[in-house]
Amino acid sequence: DSKFSVLSRSKVATASEDGPEAVVDRIVGCIKAAVKQTDLRMKSISGIGIGAPGPLNPDTGVVAFAPNLGWHDVPLKDMLESRLSIPTVVENDVNAGTLGEHRLGAGQGVKDMIGVFVGTGIGGGVVTRANCTGASTSRLARSGTWWSRWMALCADAAPRGAGKLWQAVRPLPDASRRQ
């Protein structure tokens, strides 16, 4: 709602091996189930915000590459809007999480923050002067390089074995392009 209160929850397995169409169908079902648990109707939902892994274009809502889902150039925004007829915003999942923490969680009240999320991979989002930025746009792809260089410096100064951590988080060359 307008106060960011959680009105209901719904959860379903991703099952990405079934492909993007099936995953989006499950997302739509999950949204409908969550709305059904409230006293709202789908027509009263003014917008959908969804976080997706990997590099994407937030303007078009196309997920360029989501390695953990096996996705390449998936038009997530269009797929959701065509099924639900509700305006949809697609953002990198780590950027969305960082912004959520800034607005409603551990980062409340600070102007600048960095969020680091460890899951299938390691991702980072940055809030500067209350604007969320991150590696989902080409403008900020360099921040991933900065992060890995910082990790390299830390690994060089850290106890023996810490260099393995840098190797684990070092970005692949041009990982956002299909190979």
Side-chain angles (χ1 to χ4, degrees), residues 1-178:
D1 68 3
S2 62
K3 295 179 183 175
F4 301 107
S5 301
V6 176
L7 303 178
S8 69
R9 296 176 191 270
S10 183
K11 187 175 180 178
V12 65
T14 306
S16 61
E17 64 275 5
D18 295 339
E21 292 286 340
V23 171
V24 171
D25 287 341
R26 281 191 280 282
I27 292 169
V28 167
C30 201
I31 291 168
K32 288 180 177 180
V35 171
K36 189 174 182 179
Q37 294 173 29
T38 70
D39 59 354
L40 301 173
R41 294 183 181 189
M42 289 299 293
K43 291 180 182 179
S44 66
I45 305 301
S46 60
I48 295 170
I50 186 165
L56 56 85
N57 183 326
D59 296 325
T60 63
V62 173
V63 179
F65 178 56
N68 58 324
L69 298 177
W71 288 7
H72 293 276
D73 302 321
V74 174
L76 184 57
K77 173 184 166 80
D78 290 346
M79 293 170 80
L80 288 169
E81 288 181 344
S82 70
R83 286 167 170 82
L84 295 168
S85 299
I86 299 172
T88 301
V89 173
V90 178
E91 181 54 80
N92 173 270
D93 56 353
V94 173
N95 288 350
T98 300
L99 186 58
E101 284 296 328
H102 180 261
R103 300 276 169 86
L104 304 169
Q108 283 183 339
V110 300
K111 289 182 182 177
D112 304 308
M113 72 174 266
I114 296 173
V116 178
F117 293 77
V118 179
T120 305
I122 298 176
V126 179
V127 174
T128 57
R129 308 255 188 269
N131 292 311
C132 187
T133 59
S136 69
T137 62
S138 58
R139 169 186 59 156
L140 294 160
R142 282 176 250 122
S143 68
T145 303
W146 170 84
W147 179 256
S148 66
R149 286 185 184 148
W150 180 81
M151 290 297 292
L153 292 172
C154 289
D156 289 343
R160 287 184 80 203
K164 292 177 184 175
L165 174 64
W166 178 74
Q167 291 293 325
V169 301
R170 183 177 57 193
L172 296 172
D174 230 359
S176 64
R177 273 198 282 153
R178 216 184 289 196

